[in-house]
Amino acid sequence: MLAQAASRTSTQSAASHAVNGSASTRASPQPLKKTASPMMQSALSGGPAAQTTTANTPSKPQRPARRIEMEQLMNDFRRALGTNWTHYREIITTFLTGHLTRIELERELSVILDKSMVRMHNQFLLASLANALRDPPPSTNGLPAWNMRSKDAPLRISKNSGDPVVAKLKSEIMGFTPRERRRIKAITRDAGMKGPMPSTIVLTKQARSVKFPSVKDKEKSKTNITQEITQSYQAPLATESFELPDADNMRTRILGIAYEHGLLDGIANDVPDIMLAGLEYHLRDFLQQLLDRVRPKKHKKMSDTTFVSLANASAQFITNASTKETVNSTAENGVKSGAAVVNGVKAKRQRSQQYEDDNVITAEDMALALELAPHSIVEPSGPMYRLWDVMLRDEIDDFPTPSVQQ
Amino acid sequence: MSDKCRYKPEIQQMMFVSGETNDPPTETTAVIEDIVRSQVVEMLLQATAQAARRGSRSIAIEDLIFLIRHDRAKVNRLRTYLSWKDVRKNAKDQEGGAVEGADLLEDVAGAAAAAPAATGPADPVGPKMKYRKSKVKLPWDLTNMFPEPVPDAEDDDGAAGPDEDELEASLATLQRLKSADERTRAMTKEEYVHWSECRQASFTFRKGKRFREWAGISALTDSKPNDDIIDILGFLTFEIVAVLTEEAIKVKEAEDEMEMRRSKRTKTRKTERFLFDPPDEDQRPVLAKHVTEAFRNLQRSKPKQQALRNFSGGLVRTRTAVI
C-alpha cells in the first residue's frame, strides 16, 4: 500500500516535472528542459516501475534498479567534446558546488556545446542524478574518465585490471558480507576523530602502545629502528634497579623515545650527559628543599658577629615524629637516589658538629615536606600518593582539642 | 659550549686570588668559563629588558647595577671601582699623565683593594689636584626618591649611623680583605708581586673587543654597549669567579670532611705516612663537579619567593639568578 502510494506520488511528480518542465521557477531555457522530461520520466520510472511490480507483496520494497551504465555514455560525450572536455568538467563542477548560477552555466555551456551535444549533456546529467538515488557503485573509484584531462591517456574502457593481487583482494573482500563491506568502506581518514573523545581506557591503551615510526627513506634500515625501540623498552628502569641510571642506560632509553616520536636521525653524543646532569640537579634541588623544610638550620654567622642577618634565617619546620628509620625507607617511595648522593647532600648542608648524633630524616618528614611543597616535584604522582596514604596518623593529631582549664 | 676555553689563564689567576692554591684542571676552568658566559648573557638580557622598561634602547650603568642591587657590598665595591675610573680619566685630562704621589690610594686602599685594581700601582693623581669622586646615583635609593636633594647621611652629625645593611656590606668587604691579608702575610716579595699581578686579572681590561665577541653581545642587544658597561661587566665577572671559587672550595671541604668521617667510622685509619704516598689533601684541586654544585647552591631560590606556592603543585618558573 505504501509502495503504491509512493509510486503514485513519484509518477505524479514525474508528470508534473514533464508538464512544468518549461515553466520551472528559474529561467531555464528551452533546449535543456525539452529533452529533460522523457529522460527524467524514464529514469524515475525505473524506480516506480520496480516498486509497482512488488506492490503485491506486503514485504519491504525491492531494492531500486541497478545503476545506469555511464561509462560508455561519458566516453562518447568526451570524444564529442574533444579539447573542451576539461573546460566542461570545470564548469559542471563549479556549478554543482554552487560557484556558478544557472545563468552563468547556460552562458558558459552555450559557448561549448552545439545542438547535438546538448542532448548528450542532458543525458549525462540526468543519468548521474538517477544513479545518485541508487546504491553506490561496487567499485569506489567511480568513473576514472571523469577525472582525466583530455590531454591525458585517451579513453580506455577497462573493466578488470587483470592484476592477480587485485583479483585476490577482490575475491577476499567479496567474501565479506555486504554489511561488513559497507563498514569497511565507512572507515575514512577522520573516522575516529569525529564525535566525543574516546574513553580514558582507549586513550591509555593508545598511549601505552609502542609506536613504530614509518620509515620513508630507504637508507635508514627499518629493522634497526624497531630493534632500538624494543631495546629501549627492555632497559631497566630506575625503580627496578634502585639506582640512578648511567649514561648507557640513559642513551638507550632516550634513543628509543626519540625514534618512537619520529626523530629518526638519532641523538647526539652528549645528550645523555646533559640529561644526567639535569636529573642530578633536579634531585639535589628536591632534596635540598626537603631538608630545608624539615631540618633546623644553624645560623651561619653566629659567634663572630654581633648581629644575625635576617636574610639568612629561613622558616623552620621541625617535625615531632622523627623515628630512627633511616633515609633508605624513602627509596621505596619513588625517589631512587643512591645513598652516596643523599649523604653527600646532607654533609654539604650540615656543617655543624652534631653529625654523629644527628636525627636522620624519615618518611614522615618527606611526607610532610611533599605535602607542604608539591611543586618541588612539580606534580604529585603515584608513589607520593602512596606515601601519604600509608602515613599513620591519628585524627586527634589533626584536630587537637584545647585543654579545658578548671 | 663547543668552543675551547679562551680565558683559561685569567680564570686561573682569579681562582688563585680567591683562595685556590692548586692548579685547576682544564675542565674546571672550562666549566667556570661557561658559567661566566651564561651569566654575562643573562645580565645583558635582563639589563636590556630593564632599559626597555625605562623607554631607552641602550643599556645604562644603572640598569646593570639594578640587577645586583640586593647585594649591597658588591654595589658599594662597584661604585668605588667606577669612581676610580672617573678619577683616572679626570687626572689624565688635567695633568697630562704626570705621575704623582699615591696619597689618594692610601685613603681608599681598604675599599678598593677588593676590586681588581685595573689602575695598577701607578695612579696619576696628585694631592694638589682637586678630584671629584663622582658617585653613581642609584635611582632606587631612598635618598633619591624625593624631589629635593637629600643631604648625605655622613654629613649629618645627629643622624643615626649607617644602617644594618651598610654594616653588613662593609663587613663582607672587610672579611674579604682579612682573608687576603692572612694569605699574603707570609709571602715573599716575588710571591707578592705575583699575587698583585694575578689580582689584576680581568676579562675585559684592554680586551674589550675579544670580550664582546666571546659573549656574543651583538646577538643580544641592538645597541652597542659603551665601554663603561664593558668595564662593569669585567668587574662583575671577576666577582662571579671569586664567589664561585669560594663556594666550590667550601663544597670540596665539606665533601672531604664527609669522606674523612666515613673513613673514620669504618675504622680504616692511615697510620703512617710513607714516602710514595699519593699526594695530600692540599694537593687536590677543585674539580668541575664542585663548581657545578657551588653554582647550584648560588642558584637557590629564597624561601620568601616560594612561600605563596605552599600546598600547591605545578611548575615553579625560576629565573637564572645573577650571582
Side-chain angles (χ1 to χ4, degrees):
Chain A
M1 275 267 292
L2 271 173
Q4 271 178 348
S7 63
R8 222 176 299 129
T9 50
S10 56
T11 42
Q12 261 181 5
S13 61
S16 64
H17 245 285
V19 165
N20 300 332
S22 56
S24 56
T25 50
R26 294 195 210 127
S28 57
Q30 300 299 324
L32 256 184
K33 274 301 176 185
K34 249 194 302 207
T35 51
S37 31
M39 195 66 208
M40 172 89 80
Q41 221 168 9
S42 67
L44 283 178
S45 61
Q51 284 178 354
T52 43
T53 50
T54 60
N56 305 327
T57 61
S59 65
K60 289 189 289 214
Q62 211 179 21
R63 311 166 66 113
R66 286 180 293 116
R67 297 171 68 87
I68 298 176
E69 284 294 331
M70 280 196 52
E71 196 152 352
Q72 185 59 41
L73 177 70
M74 189 154 100
N75 287 334
D76 293 338
F77 192 19
R78 192 167 155 202
R79 220 175 282 122
L81 267 181
T83 49
N84 286 330
W85 171 251
T86 335
H87 190 211
Y88 172 78
R89 194 164 66 86
E90 277 170 27
I91 295 172
I92 295 294
T93 318
T94 46
F95 173 67
L96 287 175
T97 52
H99 292 292
L100 286 180
T101 63
R102 270 263 179 128
I103 305 169
E104 287 169 355
L105 174 76
E106 277 306 302
R107 192 172 43 205
E108 298 284 331
L109 283 181
S110 57
V111 173
I112 303 180
L113 303 176
D114 51 350
K115 283 239 183 269
S116 64
M117 293 202 284
V118 166
R119 188 186 161 78
M120 286 170 68
H121 159 82
N122 290 338
Q123 274 186 344
F124 179 58
L125 279 190
L126 289 169
S128 305
L129 174 63
N131 274 347
L133 297 173
R134 305 194 183 156
D135 267 346
S139 65
T140 47
N141 43 356
L143 285 173
W146 174 246
N147 282 332
M148 276 201 247
R149 298 177 209 272
S150 45
K151 63 175 164 52
D152 280 349
L155 318 168
R156 243 189 334 206
I157 306 171
S158 57
K159 276 290 178 188
N160 44 357
S161 44
D163 200 355
V165 177
V166 172
K168 185 171 186 303
L169 208 60
K170 185 173 166 108
S171 66
E172 269 179 22
I173 291 182
M174 283 323 217
F176 292 133
T177 58
R179 179 188 266 189
E180 283 292 324
R181 276 179 265 152
R182 239 175 286 154
R183 272 181 65 195
I184 292 176
K185 270 182 255 174
I187 299 173
T188 59
R189 181 181 279 267
D190 299 328
M193 293 186 195
K194 282 185 283 205
M197 274 298 260
S199 69
T200 320
I201 297 179
V202 173
L203 285 175
T204 312
K205 184 161 186 295
Q206 279 177 3
R208 286 179 61 123
S209 63
V210 181
K211 309 174 254 298
F212 291 100
S214 60
V215 179
K216 301 277 167 52
D217 209 342
K218 286 298 173 281
E219 291 172 3
K220 308 184 218 305
S221 55
K222 197 165 168 190
T223 54
N224 191 21
I225 289 183
T226 48
Q227 190 186 22
E228 294 281 342
I229 293 177
T230 40
Q231 257 181 19
S232 80
Y233 274 94
Q234 287 162 359
L237 293 179
T239 47
E240 296 162 8
S241 62
F242 292 107
E243 59 184 17
L244 284 178
D246 55 355
D248 285 331
N249 190 354
M250 210 43 127
R251 156 173 291 276
T252 319
R253 280 152 63 177
I254 295 178
L255 198 59
I257 295 175
Y259 281 150
E260 264 194 285
H261 288 268
L263 299 170
L264 296 174
D265 282 329
I267 58 179
N269 282 341
D270 37 11
V271 163
D273 297 330
I274 291 185
M275 189 66 90
L276 275 177
L279 174 68
E280 203 178 310
Y281 195 106
H282 177 68
L283 284 177
R284 283 175 191 256
D285 218 19
F286 166 64
L287 283 171
Q288 180 175 302
Q289 289 197 31
L290 167 67
L291 290 167
D292 275 347
R293 290 180 156 84
V294 158
R295 185 176 276 172
K297 200 163 83 165
K298 289 278 181 228
H299 292 317
K300 284 193 191 150
K301 312 171 184 178
M302 264 311 241
S303 49
D304 290 341
T305 65
T306 53
F307 61 91
V308 171
S309 168
L310 288 173
N312 281 337
S314 51
Q316 313 297 331
F317 293 93
I318 306 174
T319 64
N320 296 328
S322 48
T323 63
K324 283 303 175 188
E325 285 175 9
T326 64
V327 153
N328 285 332
S329 70
T330 64
E332 50 189 72
N333 293 319
V335 176
K336 298 294 170 266
S337 44
V341 171
V342 175
N343 284 339
V345 169
K346 271 194 337 195
K348 283 162 194 140
R349 294 280 74 78
Q350 193 84 3
R351 272 179 228 105
S352 64
Q353 299 307 312
Q354 28 167 304
Y355 190 89
E356 302 293 329
D357 52 354
D358 212 8
N359 46 350
V360 294
I361 55 174
T362 67
E364 276 110 349
D365 296 341
M366 191 164 188
L368 180 72
L370 282 174
E371 198 175 335
L372 186 65
H375 54 81
S376 41
I377 293 268
V378 184
E379 271 295 328
S381 62
M384 258 168 271
Y385 291 127
R386 182 175 173 272
L387 177 64
W388 289 327
D389 287 340
V390 301
M391 283 296 114
L392 299 173
R393 299 156 75 139
D394 290 332
E395 276 197 14
I396 203 162
D397 290 336
D398 290 339
F399 306 104
T401 56
S403 60
V404 178
Q405 298 277 347
Q406 286 292 337
Chain B
M1 262 184 61
S2 57
D3 42 0
K4 28 189 208 321
C5 357
R6 292 153 68 161
Y7 284 104
K8 183 167 155 104
E10 285 93 351
I11 294 179
Q12 274 182 330
Q13 287 176 345
M14 291 183 198
M15 286 177 77
F16 174 63
V17 168
S18 313
E20 165 70 8
T21 47
N22 313 301
D23 276 333
T26 314
E27 205 187 19
T28 314
T29 50
V31 166
I32 290 186
E33 185 171 336
D34 274 336
I35 291 177
V36 167
R37 189 175 52 179
S38 64
Q39 287 281 305
V40 166
V41 166
E42 186 66 30
M43 277 194 274
L44 282 172
L45 280 176
Q46 288 187 17
T48 320
Q50 190 67 25
R53 271 180 233 140
R54 253 187 325 129
S56 142
R57 275 193 58 191
S58 58
I59 304 180
I61 297 177
E62 285 85 12
D63 293 326
L64 270 184
I65 303 184
F66 186 76
L67 299 177
I68 53 169
R69 67 193 185 280
H70 292 299
D71 190 354
R72 293 292 290 265
K74 200 188 284 194
V75 169
N76 290 340
R77 269 182 265 135
L78 180 57
R79 286 166 91 180
T80 321
Y81 174 67
L82 287 174
S83 66
W84 270 116
K85 239 171 48 113
D86 261 344
V87 163
R88 193 156 56 99
K89 210 188 318 177
N90 292 336
K92 275 218 166 74
D93 289 341
Q94 291 191 18
E95 281 214 12
V99 181
E100 281 282 346
D103 301 290
L104 274 161
L105 267 180
E106 285 160 3
D107 289 342
V108 290
T119 61
D123 199 340
V125 173
K128 291 185 280 240
M129 194 193 76
K130 283 198 300 283
Y131 68 98
R132 292 170 283 117
K133 251 178 87 175
S134 55
K135 280 209 148 197
V136 178
K137 282 240 175 293
L138 301 178
W140 56 87
D141 219 357
L142 185 60
T143 53
N144 295 334
M145 285 189 191
F146 303 102
E148 297 167 2
V150 176
D152 267 339
E154 300 154 14
D155 301 339
D156 207 346
D157 293 318
D163 53 353
E164 205 175 277
D165 290 332
E166 289 287 342
L167 249 187
E168 187 191 332
S170 55
L171 202 69
T173 318
L174 284 176
Q175 183 75 22
R176 234 188 225 196
L177 294 174
K178 204 166 106 168
S179 51
D181 190 29
E182 278 166 20
R183 247 185 103 181
T184 58
R185 192 186 299 252
M187 283 187 174
T188 66
K189 182 156 176 279
E190 291 86 18
E191 282 177 352
Y192 192 73
V193 165
H194 179 238
W195 165 272
S196 60
E197 272 173 17
C198 286
R199 220 169 51 160
Q200 292 175 29
S202 160
F203 275 81
T204 60
F205 187 56
R206 294 210 189 110
K207 312 182 203 92
K209 201 181 276 198
R210 184 176 165 211
F211 181 77
R212 283 173 204 262
E213 193 193 309
W214 171 77
I217 290 185
S218 50
L220 292 168
T221 60
D222 295 335
S223 60
K224 195 165 169 300
N226 51 3
D227 288 329
D228 276 342
I229 304 288
I230 301 292
D231 281 336
I232 294 181
L233 282 177
F235 173 83
L236 290 175
T237 47
F238 177 88
E239 292 277 329
I240 291 175
V241 176
V243 163
L244 268 179
T245 315
E246 284 165 10
E247 274 288 327
I249 290 176
K250 279 191 220 158
V251 164
K252 181 173 86 88
E253 278 170 7
E255 246 188 42
D256 291 340
E257 190 185 312
M258 188 205 68
E259 268 296 322
M260 236 175 45
R261 286 187 196 276
R262 194 195 282 171
S263 65
K264 221 186 282 182
R265 276 210 198 145
T266 57
K267 293 203 174 34
T268 58
R269 208 176 290 251
K270 271 206 294 224
T271 48
E272 294 159 36
R273 288 259 180 100
F274 295 107
L275 191 59
F276 295 107
D277 263 348
D280 231 6
E281 194 181 299
D282 312 298
Q283 294 303 312
R284 276 184 293 212
V286 168
L287 299 175
K289 60 173 178 163
H290 301 135
V291 174
T292 44
E293 178 66 16
F295 179 68
R296 194 188 67 82
N297 287 346
L298 291 166
Q299 294 289 319
R300 205 163 139 180
S301 56
K302 302 187 197 47
K304 68 177 182 182
Q305 287 171 350
Q306 293 188 332
L308 277 183
R309 302 293 302 264
N310 278 344
F311 298 105
S312 59
L315 182 64
V316 176
R317 291 187 177 274
T318 51
R319 222 161 45 150
T320 313
V322 174
I323 297 182

